[in-house]
Amino acid sequence: MSITALYDVAAPAKLNLFLHITGRRPDGYHLLQSVFVLIDWCDTLHIERRKDGRLQRHDLALPLPADDLSLRAAQLLQTESGSTWGADISIEKRVPWGAGMGGGSSDAASTLLALNRLWGLNWPLSRLLPLGLQLGADVPFFLGGHNALVEGIGEILRPLPELPPLWLAVAKPAEAIATKSIFSSNLLSRSTKAAIVAGLLQSTNDSAQNAISPVDAQSKESEVVSLEQVVAGWGGNDLQPPAQSVCNEVTSVAHWLHQRFGNSRMTGSGSAVFSRAGTGGQPDTMWPADLPPAWTGRMCRSLTQHPLAGWAC
């Protein structure tokens, strides 16, 4: 008997422990290097199969744009697979929009994984990853299912199963930032040297072989860093200076968090900022009670893997 509905499908957000722009392709796409970490701040999707082929989205919390990524993901999968099934996609939106936390991309990835099951496609991850990349640079990471070193334009994933459990304090001002304004800024550095993360030179990922590309261990220009250094705050976010130039509140949030946790860094290309708040069972410092009323924030834990890891192999 086939599955006709999937409820409480998780779509977790992510944070970038660092984010460097290492170059630009001839087609204009920026090349990046980053460590992406899944966190327990999640959207929730409820997806029911339809017999009439129609695709509809229903907003259960915050309203989404008419053509959001989850609906586009369903349309793309339907077109590429030739499936005659449709779906009702209901979304409880909790991850703030325009935060740089990958909320829309995560919704798209969870939609692809859920519909792959509901429509009986049973596509392997290697067939879903190219679709994810068409939807957005962050989508392949959420499909991959693990914390990862991410390179290229987002399609090169090197899993980090040894990443320790982290506590991360996250705050976002009311203002969101348009990604286009960041990547077109004259303040954006596009030539940060790619680093080599020690211990990953020989790593493999059997479940996503087509997404893996070896790090250039021969490059004399590369700095070798340990995963411990990355966790401790190595690197930066090359997108933060242009973001602060168009959104003063990013600077305010970064200052507010730094005062309380001793460190802060913007994530992705959005306006959210995070602080490392500890490792292990409990945060070193509890979430402060004086969050400004117009801001959104919480203490988050990192996830060891995506809740849907293994849904496509």
Side-chain angles (χ1 to χ4, degrees):
M1 186 174 179
S2 62
I3 300 173
T4 60
L6 290 167
Y7 300 108
D8 299 318
V9 176
K14 60 83 179 168
L15 296 175
N16 301 83
L17 295 190
F18 72 90
L19 200 170
H20 295 162
I21 304 301
T22 59
R24 198 171 188 178
R25 299 195 320 191
D27 60 8
Y29 282 96
H30 288 81
L31 300 171
L32 62 88
Q33 185 179 48
S34 181
V35 165
F36 283 32
V37 176
L38 295 158
I39 59 173
D40 63 353
W41 197 340
C42 303
D43 293 338
T44 303
L45 284 66
H46 313 285
I47 304 180
E48 300 176 349
R49 193 174 67 189
R50 294 179 63 114
K51 295 180 180 179
D52 60 7
R54 295 181 63 188
L55 298 169
Q56 292 189 325
R57 194 199 71 237
H58 311 278
D59 299 335
L60 303 181
L62 298 174
L64 297 171
D67 186 29
D68 80 301
L69 275 179
S70 61
L71 195 57
R72 287 168 53 193
Q75 292 166 342
L76 180 61
L77 184 62
Q78 188 182 61
T79 298
E80 294 295 320
S81 67
S83 177
T84 59
W85 293 108
D88 284 302
I89 304 168
S90 301
I91 301 180
E92 296 180 38
K93 189 68 181 171
R94 298 187 185 92
V95 178
W97 176 85
M101 297 165 63
S105 295
S106 186
D107 293 346
S110 291
T111 298
L112 287 175
L113 291 167
L115 292 179
N116 188 42
R117 284 190 161 194
L118 286 179
W119 291 349
L121 301 178
N122 299 317
W123 282 12
L125 187 58
S126 59
R127 291 191 70 179
L128 294 176
L129 285 168
L131 300 189
L133 193 60
Q134 289 184 53
L135 294 164
D138 290 347
V139 181
F141 163 71
F142 291 108
L143 289 171
H146 301 277
N147 300 321
L149 176 70
V150 180
E151 297 178 294
I153 60 172
E155 84 284 14
I156 302 172
L157 308 174
R158 298 182 67 82
L160 297 173
E162 65 275 24
L163 191 74
L166 302 175
W167 287 94
L168 300 148
V170 187
K172 179 194 175 297
E175 189 173 348
I177 302 176
T179 300
K180 184 178 179 180
S181 66
I182 302 300
F183 281 97
S184 62
S185 173
N186 292 329
L187 296 176
L188 177 61
S189 171
R190 297 176 173 87
S191 58
T192 302
K193 294 178 181 178
I196 295 172
V197 179
L200 291 185
L201 302 183
Q202 304 299 325
S203 69
T204 60
N205 178 2
D206 294 336
S207 66
Q209 291 180 13
N210 292 339
I212 298 299
S213 177
V215 174
D216 180 11
Q218 304 302 318
S219 174
K220 296 180 180 180
E221 299 293 325
S222 299
E223 178 182 0
V224 178
V225 298
S226 67
L227 189 58
E228 289 76 15
Q229 287 176 284
V230 172
V231 170
W234 175 87
N237 185 343
D238 288 341
L239 308 184
Q240 188 163 343
Q244 290 178 312
S245 73
V246 299
C247 181
N248 291 331
E249 285 201 318
V250 171
T251 304
S252 299
V253 175
H255 178 70
W256 186 87
L257 282 171
H258 197 280
Q259 282 188 316
R260 287 154 182 80
F261 297 97
N263 67 92
S264 66
R265 180 172 295 170
M266 192 182 84
T267 182
S269 61
S271 56
V273 180
F274 71 93
S275 296
R276 301 181 309 283
T279 58
Q282 293 293 331
D284 296 335
T285 305
M286 300 306 294
W287 180 254
D290 59 339
L291 182 76
W295 295 1
T296 302
R298 56 175 284 183
M299 185 70 74
C300 297
R301 292 178 298 174
S302 65
L303 302 177
T304 56
Q305 65 178 17
H306 196 289
L308 309 187
W311 277 34
C313 299

